[in-house]
Every structure is written in structure tokens, then in C-alpha cells.
Amino acid sequence: MEMMKLSEFVEFIQGINPSRAEKQFGNQEINYYGQASFDEDYRNHNEATQEEKKNDVFDSEVSLNRGNVVISNSLQRATLVSEKHVGKVLSLNFTKVKFKNEAIDRRYFLYLFNSHKEVQRQKERELQGTGPILRLTKQSLEQLVIPIVPLTEQKRIGLIYIESLKLQTKLSEYAQLLEQFTGTMLENTLEG
């Protein structure tokens, strides 16, 4: 298995500062991709395909399309953008991952960035900042070294990763429903 720098496969595009965007784009209303959007995409994994769907609503590299990979700078996690968030603009708290070619699968990238132990260790070493919120810089992201396997293997690993996340989400929802059901049954037993 070959190890290569992430910068050989992707570019990182930082989100925009909302106050600068107001100056740059004037009175145009900007719909930002925020933490709630990221959480929804990360939790639901609803992308129908991993192909990008182009959108020309906002002429900028920070405008999102379905299938784009977005990194939350504060959480150091990545997700695929769903149909629901097409056209939103990245705020300063997020980084868009632009793939240079087809040499790395998007879902495989998600697995590496979110779960691969060696990449996690590298990210921990590179965290910068003060206080409770530490961030990865663009330069740190570019220097991450990742394992490269054949594309067919990447697709298989990426699909397994996404399916396991979907299963974890369903299990979590089931646990919450079971807890609510149990609480209701016990309360009803006490009442009468």
C-alpha cells in the first residue's frame, strides 16, 4: 500500500467571511452552509449518488453542489453535501474539498478523514488554536499522508463506511425510541 500526501489528490477551499461577503456581493442574499446543515448531512448520509450535481445559483468556488465534500473546521470531520443544501455558501467555519481527479473516491476520503487511525493521529498533532476549539489549517490538511489502494478497493471501503454510518444512525434512533417507550410504559404503570 502506497502512502501519499493528500494535496496530490485534492485542493482545499476555505469558506468566506460573512462580513467580507456582504462587501463583495453587495445586497445579494447569501444562504450560508452552517453547523446545522453540516450536522444534518453528517447524520443522514442521504446522497443518492456520489456524483456532483452542478448549480449556478452562486458563481463562486464556495458555493455547494450535491456530492461536494465539506470539512467542519471545528469538528475536524467531513461529510457529503446533500441535495437539500445545494447552492448554499460555505462560511468561514468550513472547508470545501475539491478533487483534482478521479484517483480518490469521495466516500473513501470520508472514511480516511473521519475514521482512519493514522490520519486521526496526524490530525491531532496538527491541531492549532487556543481555548476549547482547535482547528486544522489548510497547510496542515495538505500535509496529511493517506494510504492509497486501487480505486475499486477505495469504492468498496467507502461504501462499507457510509453504510455503517447509516446503520449507526438507525440504531441511535431506535435506542432513543426504545428509551421513550420504556419511560412511557413505566410512568403508565406507576399511574395506574
Side-chain angles (χ1 to χ4, degrees):
M1 174 172 40
E2 191 174 0
M3 301 294 283
M4 298 179 80
K5 283 188 180 179
L6 199 49
S7 60
E8 296 183 38
F9 303 99
V10 299
E11 295 175 32
F12 297 100
I13 301 165
Q14 300 286 16
I16 60 175
N17 184 326
S19 60
R20 286 189 196 147
E22 288 175 15
K23 291 176 186 172
Q24 183 177 353
F25 301 107
N27 292 335
Q28 182 178 354
E29 187 173 320
I30 301 172
N31 188 9
Y32 287 102
Y33 186 87
Q35 194 60 49
S37 301
F38 180 87
D39 291 342
E40 186 176 352
D41 285 343
Y42 186 79
R43 191 174 48 252
N44 294 327
H45 318 288
N46 280 338
E47 95 287 357
T49 66
Q50 65 176 12
E51 295 176 20
E52 287 187 18
K53 177 183 174 186
K54 299 296 180 194
N55 179 25
D56 299 324
V57 173
F58 193 86
D59 188 25
S60 172
E61 284 194 316
V62 293
S63 178
L64 295 175
N65 299 303
R66 187 183 76 212
N68 284 154
V69 174
V70 173
I71 296 171
S72 169
N73 297 335
S74 59
L75 298 176
Q76 294 93 43
R77 307 289 286 173
T79 193
L80 287 171
V81 174
S82 67
E83 179 76 30
K84 184 175 182 179
H85 302 293
V86 168
K88 289 189 175 181
V89 176
L90 282 182
S91 69
L92 202 53
N93 298 325
F94 298 93
T95 301
K96 181 177 173 181
V97 180
K98 182 178 179 183
F99 290 78
K100 294 179 179 179
N101 53 44
E102 299 294 322
I104 187 166
D105 181 71
R106 293 172 196 284
R107 293 178 183 144
Y108 180 68
F109 174 90
L110 292 178
Y111 160 70
L112 293 175
F113 194 83
N114 294 338
S115 295
H116 190 268
K117 287 182 177 158
E118 179 54 34
V119 174
Q120 297 309 305
R121 282 192 280 273
Q122 291 177 60
K123 285 175 14 182
E124 287 174 16
R125 284 192 303 264
E126 296 294 327
L127 287 174
Q128 295 183 7
T130 57
I133 298 178
L134 300 175
R135 299 175 186 269
L136 290 168
T137 65
K138 182 178 175 182
Q139 292 77 19
S140 299
L141 291 170
E142 291 169 345
Q143 296 304 312
L144 293 175
V145 176
I146 59 169
I148 297 299
V149 295
L151 195 55
T152 55
E153 187 72 10
Q154 289 181 32
K155 288 182 184 227
R156 190 176 70 77
I157 290 169
L159 184 59
I160 291 169
Y161 174 69
I162 292 295
E163 291 303 316
S164 72
L165 289 178
K166 288 179 181 178
L167 182 58
Q168 288 174 29
T169 300
K170 293 288 183 198
L171 288 172
S172 177
E173 290 170 1
Y174 178 72
Q176 289 175 347
L177 289 172
L178 184 59
E179 184 179 340
Q180 290 172 359
F181 175 74
T182 304
T184 302
M185 292 301 294
L186 293 174
E187 285 179 21
N188 289 342
T189 301
L190 284 175
E191 290 174 0

